[in-house]
Amino acid sequence: MEPQEEIKVKDPKSSKLRLWLKRVGVGAFLFFLVKGLVWLAVFFFFAKTCQQ
């Protein structure tokens, strides 16, 4: 007797949802990365102007 192979059927809705969540996650990561870098630049230039 041969072992039975499991047949995995991908649900198209779940793959679309997963792809959408991945895109949103990457977008959110980039948004907060840029936002943090902008705030660092703001504080840097504020501190630089206060020292003069």
Side-chain angles (χ1 to χ4, degrees):
M1 184 177 351
E2 295 179 17
Q4 294 180 349
E5 294 181 19
E6 291 183 25
I7 299 173
K8 295 183 180 179
V9 178
K10 291 186 178 180
D11 185 14
K13 289 182 181 178
S14 70
S15 64
K16 285 183 181 181
L17 178 64
R18 187 172 285 199
L19 180 62
W20 183 81
L21 287 174
K22 189 180 280 191
R23 286 181 185 165
V24 169
V26 170
F29 172 77
L30 291 175
F31 170 77
F32 286 110
L33 176 67
V34 170
K35 181 181 172 185
L37 291 175
V38 168
W39 274 112
L40 286 175
V42 166
F43 287 127
F44 173 75
F45 288 118
F46 178 73
K48 193 173 182 180
T49 57
C50 286
Q51 287 180 347
Q52 292 177 354

